[in-house]
Amino acid sequence: MFDVLVYLYETYWRPDACPDHAQLTRKLTAVGFETDEIQEALSWLDGLASAGESLEQAAEAQGPLSVRVYMPHEIEHLGETSVGFIRFLENAGVLPAPMREMVIDRAMAIPGSPMDLEDLKIIVLMVFWSVGEEPDALILDELFVAPEDRLIH
C-alpha cells in the first residue's frame, strides 16, 4: 500500500489532480501494482479525505497551549519512536495540531504494531499532500534521507 501512496505523491501534485477511483485503479494496475494493494491504498485515502474534512473543526477546538496526551493503545500501536517523531515535528513547528491528529488517525488505520517509522513518514507526507501544503526543505530531508546518509556541515 505504501508504494502506491508514494507513487501517487510523486505523480499527482494534489489530491484533486487524481482521477476518479475507477480510472486511477486502471492506471495503477497498468503501472504494475496489485489489485489488493490498490484497493487498500484507495480506502486509506478515502479515510484521509474524511479526516481532512474535519481539519477546520479540529483547528477551532485546539487552543495554542493544548497538549496531546497519547492513550496507551496509541502508544502501543504507533510505538515510542513514531510518537517521538510526531513530537519532533510538532516542536519544530511544522506539524500543527489538526494535521497531527490526521497523522495519528491514519497511522491507527494501518494494521500491525508498532508502526514502522518509515511508514509513518509516508503518512506525514500524505497528510501534507492532502491539505495542499509542501513541507519545507528541512522536513523533506527528515522524511526522505536516512540518518546515516546525511552530511554534517
Side-chain angles (χ1 to χ4, degrees):
M1 176 187 87
F2 287 103
D3 291 336
V4 173
L5 295 176
V6 170
Y7 177 83
L8 293 175
Y9 179 84
E10 291 175 344
T11 305
Y12 300 101
W13 60 287
R14 291 190 339 233
D16 58 355
C18 289
D20 63 65
H21 278 5
Q23 186 178 6
L24 186 57
T25 298
R26 286 192 300 275
K27 285 185 175 197
L28 292 170
T29 301
V31 173
F33 292 108
E34 298 292 326
T35 304
D36 292 345
E37 189 177 27
I38 295 167
Q39 293 309 314
E40 185 178 351
L42 293 179
S43 176
W44 187 89
L45 284 172
D46 288 341
L48 180 61
S50 296
E53 290 172 2
S54 62
L55 180 65
E56 285 185 32
Q57 295 169 350
E60 293 171 10
Q62 300 276 336
L65 300 176
S66 64
V67 175
R68 175 60 151 92
V69 177
Y70 290 85
M71 301 299 294
H73 72 277
E74 291 174 324
I75 294 172
E76 181 182 330
H77 184 80
L78 296 170
E80 291 183 22
T81 304
S82 293
V83 170
F85 185 72
I86 293 169
R87 286 185 178 149
F88 161 74
L89 294 176
E90 281 184 281
N91 292 337
V94 297
L95 190 65
M99 289 175 67
R100 175 200 62 218
E101 293 306 312
M102 289 174 66
V103 168
I104 293 169
D105 175 73
R106 294 293 73 214
M108 294 300 288
I110 303 296
S113 60
M115 167 144 279
D116 182 64
L117 182 59
E118 296 308 310
D119 292 344
L120 180 76
K121 289 178 178 183
I122 294 169
I123 291 171
V124 170
L125 192 63
M126 294 307 292
V127 167
F128 274 97
W129 178 77
S130 74
V131 298
E133 289 187 27
E134 178 83 21
D136 67 29
L138 293 175
I139 297 305
L140 283 174
D141 183 54
E142 190 64 40
L143 293 172
F144 286 117
V145 179
E148 62 272 5
D149 294 337
R150 290 198 179 109
L151 296 175
I152 298 174
H153 299 281

